[in-house]
Amino acid sequence: MAGSRRAERASGAGSDVGVVAALGRWPGDEAVLRRAVEGAVRRATCVTILHVDDRRASGGRVGPARPVLPRTHEEHALLVAAERAAREWQPGLVVRTVLYAGSVLEGILQTSRRADLVVVGTGGAPADPVRGGPAPTAPDPTEGREPVTAAVVARAAAPVDVVPTGTAPR
């Protein structure tokens, strides 16, 4: 069963989100979106622009990510600008946007289950040339969790492409 899912994902069949561009902020994650658009074109599939807002988790707790509406002005502007840019770079490309509330990590991991490829940024951390992911960093002591990018690389169901974004983390 797992082998057939991998074969479907490799061929692009069965993927309803195509290549996922996980954006934290715009335009700081432009390199992530560009790489996702390139990957979608190579795979002849769509691109899904994903933004996860952990500030909107119910009761202040970060839990499983879930689709949310309505968007705040900030989130709406981020997704609209990124969608517009993707369509300008590659006219005719099918571009979808998804906004989740909850855990950023869980939102990306959940989406990776239906993706051909997930593209994430390093959030300003230098890329690790040996592993292809972000350079090793200590866990965030205020959150008690490992950095999101490293966790996505380790746990995503789809292949992950890590792009140095060159932006400082919030």
Side-chain angles (χ1 to χ4, degrees):
M1 180 78 150
S4 65
R5 284 187 187 157
R6 283 191 195 111
E8 285 177 1
R9 185 172 288 125
S11 71
S15 171
D16 60 344
V17 296
V19 176
V20 175
L23 302 185
R25 57 200 161 280
W26 185 259
D29 286 339
E30 180 180 329
V32 170
L33 183 58
R34 282 192 183 274
R35 183 77 58 88
V37 167
E38 292 167 3
V41 170
R42 276 194 311 276
R43 288 169 175 76
T45 190
C46 63
V47 69
T48 297
I49 302 167
L50 170 68
H51 178 69
V52 184
D53 186 352
D54 62 355
R55 298 170 298 175
R56 293 179 70 181
S58 65
R61 293 189 330 258
V62 174
R66 62 193 192 293
V68 294
L69 288 174
R71 299 173 183 157
T72 66
H73 175 72
E74 176 185 336
E75 294 159 341
H76 180 74
L78 178 151
L79 291 169
V80 168
E83 180 180 14
R84 184 177 299 132
R87 290 182 192 281
E88 286 176 10
W89 299 333
Q90 192 62 48
L93 179 67
V94 175
V95 180
R96 298 182 175 113
T97 60
V98 177
L99 173 64
Y100 281 96
S103 162
V104 173
L105 175 59
E106 289 306 315
I108 296 170
L109 293 177
Q110 184 177 22
T111 306
S112 79
R113 293 182 195 123
R114 302 182 337 261
D116 295 321
L117 174 70
V118 176
V119 183
V120 295
T122 59
D128 181 341
V130 175
R131 288 186 239 164
T137 59
D140 182 346
T142 62
E143 296 288 333
R145 61 183 180 184
E146 58 189 324
V148 172
T149 302
V152 169
V153 169
R155 297 175 45 200
V160 178
D161 188 358
V162 179
V163 178
T165 57
T167 58
R170 293 190 237 192

